[in-house]
Amino acid sequence: WGQPSFAPALPFAGHASNKKQRRFTRLRRLSPTHTMSTAPVAAAPAQEPKVSRKKLKQNDGINGRLQIVMRSGKYTLGYKTVLKSLRSGKSKLIIISNNCPPLRKSEIEYYAMLAKTGVHHYSGNNVDLGTSCGRYYRVSCMSITDPGDSDIIKAMPEA
């Protein structure tokens, strides 16, 4: 009775063709608050989630340290401002993504060598570096002028 008599009876989205499927979809749509029984449900004992060693190591890695620098330190993002901070001698650490152009990378490394500043080659590309900085755009290189609460400068082996 939902379809006109001249149209063929075709199932539409969400239509169950037989009784079992209709029952199953109806039960699936019920939320946990619509349970049939009135007996109180005992809460499961709260267990602390197991955190693997790899997860802990990853949080203490470069991305976690970068997030701390973003919150509490001073930094510049981008090629031009990295060169400016290197020329002025304010940089403590330079981070370069792995897909930064070779000429640009060598120029930054040369300036960093003259300024006696550490250079870290970030393992991800510029999208990953931008994401780990908490930005929605690409970052090919960045300069950290004040690490804030982070120990990123001591932790990087090149610095």
Side-chain angles (χ1 to χ4, degrees):
W1 34 308
Q3 302 244 345
S5 60
F6 58 86
L10 294 175
F12 54 90
H15 177 73
S17 60
N18 62 26
K19 194 182 278 187
K20 282 184 183 178
Q21 287 178 341
R22 281 196 303 261
R23 185 172 178 269
F24 179 72
T25 53
R26 184 173 49 105
L27 289 176
R28 257 188 33 215
R29 276 189 240 141
L30 289 177
S31 66
T33 57
H34 294 98
T35 56
M36 297 296 176
S37 67
T38 56
V41 178
Q47 293 179 353
E48 290 186 26
K50 289 187 179 182
V51 179
S52 65
R53 237 180 240 174
K54 193 174 185 181
K55 240 345 179 193
L56 287 173
K57 197 177 219 183
Q58 186 180 8
N59 288 344
D60 288 340
I62 181 84
N63 291 340
R65 290 187 172 105
L66 267 178
Q67 289 173 356
I68 296 170
V69 169
M70 294 294 140
R71 269 187 263 125
S72 63
K74 292 184 180 176
Y75 57 92
T76 61
L77 302 176
Y79 173 67
K80 287 182 180 179
T81 56
V82 164
L83 290 185
K84 285 178 190 174
S85 67
L86 278 170
R87 276 191 234 113
S88 63
K90 293 178 184 174
S91 299
K92 304 279 191 298
L93 178 69
I94 305 294
I95 299 174
I96 305 173
S97 68
N98 68 357
N99 65 343
C100 186
L103 184 64
R104 185 175 287 191
K105 189 183 291 190
S106 64
E107 187 177 2
I108 292 170
E109 287 170 347
Y110 179 68
Y111 274 93
M113 186 249 329
L114 291 176
K116 297 185 175 97
T117 304
V119 176
H120 176 73
H121 296 280
Y122 188 73
S123 59
N125 60 11
N126 54 7
V127 177
D128 298 334
L129 184 57
T131 304
S132 66
C133 292
R135 300 289 183 262
Y136 294 112
Y137 47 84
R138 298 169 291 193
V139 175
S140 66
C141 52
M142 68 177 293
S143 166
I144 297 173
T145 55
D146 177 31
D149 299 331
S150 178
D151 62 341
I152 192 166
I153 293 171
K154 295 172 200 154
M156 293 300 113
E158 292 93 352

